Short mmCIF file of all heavy atoms in Angstrom, two decimals:
data_model
loop_
_atom_site.label_atom_id
_atom_site.label_comp_id
_atom_site.label_asym_id
_atom_site.label_seq_id
_atom_site.Cartn_x
_atom_site.Cartn_y
_atom_site.Cartn_z
N ALA D 3 29.03 181.35 -15.26
CA ALA D 3 30.05 181.31 -16.30
C ALA D 3 29.46 181.60 -17.67
O ALA D 3 30.12 182.12 -18.57
CB ALA D 3 30.74 179.95 -16.30
N ALA D 4 28.19 181.28 -17.88
CA ALA D 4 27.55 181.49 -19.18
C ALA D 4 27.44 182.96 -19.54
O ALA D 4 27.33 183.32 -20.71
CB ALA D 4 26.16 180.85 -19.17
N PHE D 5 27.51 183.83 -18.54
CA PHE D 5 27.41 185.25 -18.80
C PHE D 5 28.75 185.87 -19.19
O PHE D 5 28.83 187.03 -19.56
CB PHE D 5 26.86 185.98 -17.56
CG PHE D 5 25.42 185.72 -17.30
CD1 PHE D 5 25.02 184.81 -16.32
CD2 PHE D 5 24.43 186.34 -18.05
CE1 PHE D 5 23.68 184.56 -16.09
CE2 PHE D 5 23.09 186.10 -17.81
CZ PHE D 5 22.71 185.21 -16.84
N GLY D 6 29.82 185.11 -19.08
CA GLY D 6 31.14 185.65 -19.39
C GLY D 6 31.68 186.45 -18.21
O GLY D 6 31.46 186.09 -17.05
N GLN D 7 32.35 187.55 -18.49
CA GLN D 7 32.95 188.35 -17.42
C GLN D 7 31.87 189.03 -16.60
O GLN D 7 30.91 189.61 -17.13
CB GLN D 7 33.90 189.40 -18.00
CG GLN D 7 34.69 190.15 -16.93
CD GLN D 7 35.70 191.12 -17.54
OE1 GLN D 7 35.74 191.29 -18.75
NE2 GLN D 7 36.49 191.74 -16.70
N VAL D 8 32.05 188.98 -15.28
CA VAL D 8 31.07 189.55 -14.36
C VAL D 8 31.80 190.43 -13.35
O VAL D 8 32.85 190.05 -12.83
CB VAL D 8 30.29 188.44 -13.62
CG1 VAL D 8 29.34 189.04 -12.60
CG2 VAL D 8 29.53 187.57 -14.61
N ASP D 9 31.25 191.61 -13.10
CA ASP D 9 31.77 192.47 -12.04
C ASP D 9 31.06 192.12 -10.74
O ASP D 9 29.82 192.07 -10.69
CB ASP D 9 31.52 193.95 -12.36
CG ASP D 9 32.60 194.54 -13.25
OD1 ASP D 9 33.65 193.89 -13.39
OD2 ASP D 9 32.39 195.64 -13.79
N TYR D 10 31.84 191.85 -9.69
CA TYR D 10 31.29 191.54 -8.38
C TYR D 10 31.35 192.78 -7.51
O TYR D 10 32.38 193.45 -7.43
CB TYR D 10 32.07 190.41 -7.71
CG TYR D 10 32.05 189.11 -8.48
CD1 TYR D 10 33.08 188.78 -9.35
CD2 TYR D 10 31.00 188.22 -8.33
CE1 TYR D 10 33.06 187.59 -10.06
CE2 TYR D 10 30.97 187.03 -9.03
CZ TYR D 10 32.00 186.72 -9.89
OH TYR D 10 31.99 185.56 -10.59
N MET D 11 30.25 193.09 -6.83
CA MET D 11 30.18 194.27 -5.98
C MET D 11 29.63 193.90 -4.61
O MET D 11 28.54 193.35 -4.51
CB MET D 11 29.28 195.34 -6.61
CG MET D 11 29.71 195.84 -7.97
SD MET D 11 28.57 197.13 -8.57
CE MET D 11 29.27 197.44 -10.20
N HIS D 12 30.38 194.21 -3.57
CA HIS D 12 29.90 194.06 -2.21
C HIS D 12 29.59 195.46 -1.70
O HIS D 12 30.49 196.26 -1.44
CB HIS D 12 30.96 193.39 -1.33
CG HIS D 12 30.50 193.18 0.08
ND1 HIS D 12 31.36 193.00 1.13
CD2 HIS D 12 29.25 193.10 0.61
CE1 HIS D 12 30.68 192.84 2.25
NE2 HIS D 12 29.39 192.89 1.95
N ILE D 13 28.32 195.78 -1.57
CA ILE D 13 27.91 197.14 -1.24
C ILE D 13 26.88 197.12 -0.12
O ILE D 13 26.24 196.09 0.16
CB ILE D 13 27.31 197.86 -2.46
CG1 ILE D 13 26.12 197.07 -3.02
CG2 ILE D 13 28.38 198.06 -3.54
CD1 ILE D 13 25.41 197.74 -4.17
N SER D 14 26.69 198.28 0.52
CA SER D 14 25.69 198.39 1.57
C SER D 14 24.94 199.72 1.53
O SER D 14 23.94 199.87 2.23
CB SER D 14 26.34 198.21 2.95
OG SER D 14 27.37 199.17 3.14
N THR D 15 25.43 200.68 0.73
CA THR D 15 24.77 201.98 0.64
C THR D 15 24.58 202.38 -0.81
O THR D 15 25.25 201.86 -1.71
CB THR D 15 25.58 203.06 1.36
OG1 THR D 15 26.82 203.27 0.64
CG2 THR D 15 25.88 202.68 2.80
N LEU D 16 23.69 203.33 -1.03
CA LEU D 16 23.46 203.83 -2.38
C LEU D 16 24.71 204.52 -2.92
O LEU D 16 25.04 204.40 -4.10
CB LEU D 16 22.27 204.79 -2.39
CG LEU D 16 21.83 205.34 -3.75
CD1 LEU D 16 21.51 204.21 -4.72
CD2 LEU D 16 20.63 206.26 -3.58
#
Side-chain angles (χ1 to χ4, degrees):
F5 288 102
Q7 187 175 5
V8 177
D9 275 347
Y10 299 95
M11 301 181 183
H12 182 201
I13 57 176
S14 57
T15 66
L16 184 56

